[in-house]
Amino acid sequence: MFKDGRVLQLEARIAEIQTSIEAAAARREEANAAVDRASSLAKSGNVSTVELSRLTRELSVAQQTELGTRKRLDAAQVELRAARSGSFLGDSYNDRPSSVQREEEMRLRAKDLEADLVHTDTEIAWLGNEIIVEEIRFADISEASIRTPVTGRVWEMMTSPGEDVQIGQPLLKVLDCSGAVITANVTESVYNRLQLGDRTTFEPNDGGVPIAGTVVNLTGAAGAPANLAINPDALGKEPYRVTVAPADAAAHDCTVGRTGRVIFSRREAAP
């Protein structure tokens, strides 16, 4: 009979919806547990507020999904009760067309659509928030303020504008003028008469104020360090080198890269 067939069809539909409700409830419980764990960890700083917000939105979506599924179950149960009483509700199962049955059918359909709309609106809101969070996160990781540990000047740029960089990659070299030293090429005879601590005077070739200093290193014929502003080999052919520390580097403008001559206390002069 048509009535029995319709009842069996609705009973199967209700069983399917109940299974969906159980799955939705499981997802909701799982999301709720995740929010509880994240809330506890957020108090100790082990979970970011962004992650907690994401989990909270997932819980809201799970709750709305379960609510919408339960409303569909209510509508199916109404149809089942009507079918058992002989009044068949549905687009193709009206044995007694009437305005009352049509009204009931449309009311149930409206509830079903309303539940779907709530679920869709929740998903749209969640996705909108996700977009905002991702835009903020992208802005945070795509730009950064770079601060040097010392006060100085940019000596060498090791990257280009727009280049992708990695964590730990050198970006630039900063010149700390307060730690500048003076290097001089001297003859062997001058080198042999010098001692650590001898007083010196550096006279810039540009006519700047002379800078007093002290001999702090005698390198002999060793190779020049790689971090000198001017390679001593470009200034003279003498292989003996002397390093002089300015008495008060902070009192002078940054002199790195300037040339001149060093006058030692015993009046030997070196270019």
Side-chain angles (χ1 to χ4, degrees):
M1 295 178 61
F2 177 77
K3 174 181 176 181
D4 295 338
R6 179 57 177 165
V7 169
L8 291 175
Q9 183 183 38
L10 289 173
E11 288 176 345
R13 179 183 173 189
I14 289 174
E16 179 183 356
I17 295 175
Q18 287 175 334
T19 302
S20 298
I21 290 176
E22 292 175 359
R27 287 193 294 269
R28 186 253 306 158
E29 291 176 358
E30 181 179 357
N32 189 52
V35 169
D36 291 341
R37 288 194 300 268
S39 298
S40 299
L41 293 174
K43 295 178 181 178
S44 58
N46 293 325
V47 171
S48 66
T49 55
V50 174
E51 178 66 11
L52 178 58
S53 179
R54 183 185 68 80
L55 293 174
T56 302
R57 287 192 296 273
E58 289 184 356
L59 173 59
S60 178
V61 171
Q63 291 172 336
Q64 293 299 327
T65 300
E66 181 183 3
L67 177 62
T69 308
R70 290 187 182 279
K71 287 187 176 182
R72 283 193 288 272
L73 176 63
D74 293 339
Q77 288 175 337
V78 170
E79 288 189 49
L80 177 60
R81 287 194 296 269
R84 286 172 174 171
S85 64
S87 299
F88 304 117
L89 303 178
D91 292 338
S92 304
Y93 302 103
N94 292 330
D95 62 337
R96 294 185 303 164
S98 68
S99 60
V100 175
Q101 289 193 26
R102 185 60 177 171
E103 179 183 358
E104 180 67 12
E105 178 184 352
M106 296 307 295
R107 185 178 64 81
L108 295 175
R109 180 60 178 164
K111 286 185 177 181
D112 201 14
L113 292 175
E114 182 181 355
D116 290 340
L117 180 61
V118 170
H119 175 67
T120 303
D121 288 343
T122 302
E123 285 190 309
I124 292 174
W126 177 73
L127 291 174
N129 289 330
E130 282 294 299
I131 292 174
I132 295 174
V133 170
E134 285 301 313
E135 288 176 345
I136 295 175
R137 190 179 70 86
F138 177 77
D140 289 340
I141 64 176
S142 62
E143 298 181 2
S145 298
I146 301 176
R147 297 182 180 180
T148 65
V150 297
T151 301
R153 300 184 179 186
V154 175
W155 180 249
E156 180 183 357
M157 293 295 300
M158 306 179 71
T159 58
S160 303
E163 178 181 346
D164 292 335
V165 298
Q166 305 296 326
I167 296 176
Q169 176 182 342
L171 304 180
L172 51 86
K173 292 182 179 179
V174 177
L175 179 64
D176 183 5
C177 295
S178 64
V181 295
I182 302 167
T183 60
N185 285 22
V186 298
T187 63
E188 184 177 2
S189 61
V190 172
Y191 176 83
N192 288 330
R193 291 195 293 271
L194 292 175
Q195 295 180 358
L196 295 179
D198 284 351
R199 295 181 179 180
T200 65
T201 302
F202 174 70
E203 295 182 346
N205 286 335
D206 59 4
V209 178
I211 301 173
T214 304
V215 175
V216 294
N217 192 23
L218 299 170
T219 58
N227 61 345
L228 296 180
I230 300 177
N231 192 328
D233 292 338
L235 303 178
K237 299 185 181 300
E238 300 295 341
Y240 297 92
R241 300 183 179 90
V242 181
T243 302
V244 176
D248 188 7
H252 304 277
D253 192 14
C254 191
T255 57
V256 174
R258 297 171 67 183
T259 59
R261 68 173 185 165
V262 177
I263 301 176
F264 301 100
S265 59
R266 299 179 184 180
R267 304 308 300 168
E268 290 89 352

